[in-house]
C-alpha cells in the first residue's frame, strides 16, 4: 500500500511487541485501562513469544499503520 502521508510504497511486516495499550491517557505503571478512558489495541502479557501485529511501515517517513479492528478496545 502507498503511505497516506508521503506516498511511498510501504513495507509489510509485523510489530513485535509485549503488553500493549493505545489509550487517550498516559499510563505510568499498569497498562490496565479504566472506564474513564478510551482505548484500543489492548494486548496482555506475551506468554511464549512476542505478539505479532500485522502492519505497514513507510521506509521514507517511518510512519507505521496498524489495523486495530481485530484487537480488544472500547471504541464504538
Ligand atoms: Zn511515508
Amino acid at each position: 500500500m502507498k503511505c497516506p502521508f508521503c506516498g511511498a510504497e510501504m513495507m509489510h511486516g509485523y510489530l513485535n511487541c509485549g503488553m500493549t495499550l493505545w489509550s487517550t491517557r498516559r499510563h505510568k505503571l499498569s497498562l490496565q485501562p479504566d472506564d474513564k478512558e478510551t482505548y484500543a489495541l489492548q494486548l496482555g502479557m506475551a506468554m511464549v513469544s512476542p505478539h505479532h501485529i500485522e502492519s505497514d511501515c513507510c521506509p521514507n517517513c517511518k510512519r507505521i499503520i496498524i489495523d486495530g479492528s481485530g484487537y480488544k478496545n472500547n471504541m464504538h
Side-chain angles (χ1 to χ4, degrees):
M1 72 185 272
K2 294 264 191 273
C3 175
F5 297 96
C6 75
E9 189 62 37
M10 300 186 84
M11 300 178 73
H12 193 72
Y14 302 88
L15 177 64
N16 297 268
C17 61
M19 287 183 76
T20 305
L21 181 71
W22 184 95
S23 174
T24 48
R25 76 175 181 88
R26 296 175 190 217
H27 284 242
K28 290 199 170 84
L29 295 170
S30 158
L31 290 185
Q32 201 56 44
D34 59 35
D35 53 9
K36 292 190 229 27
E37 66 188 298
T38 302
Y39 68 92
L41 202 66
Q42 185 189 10
L43 287 169
M45 189 88 80
M47 290 302 173
V48 181
S49 64
H51 296 292
H52 309 115
I53 303 175
E54 248 187 305
S55 49
D56 294 278
C57 183
C58 176
N60 185 45
C61 70
K62 315 301 188 284
R63 287 176 166 97
I64 295 170
I65 295 182
I66 295 168
D67 178 1
S69 62
Y71 300 94
K72 195 171 174 194
N73 68 85
N74 69 349
M75 295 175 171
H76 304 292

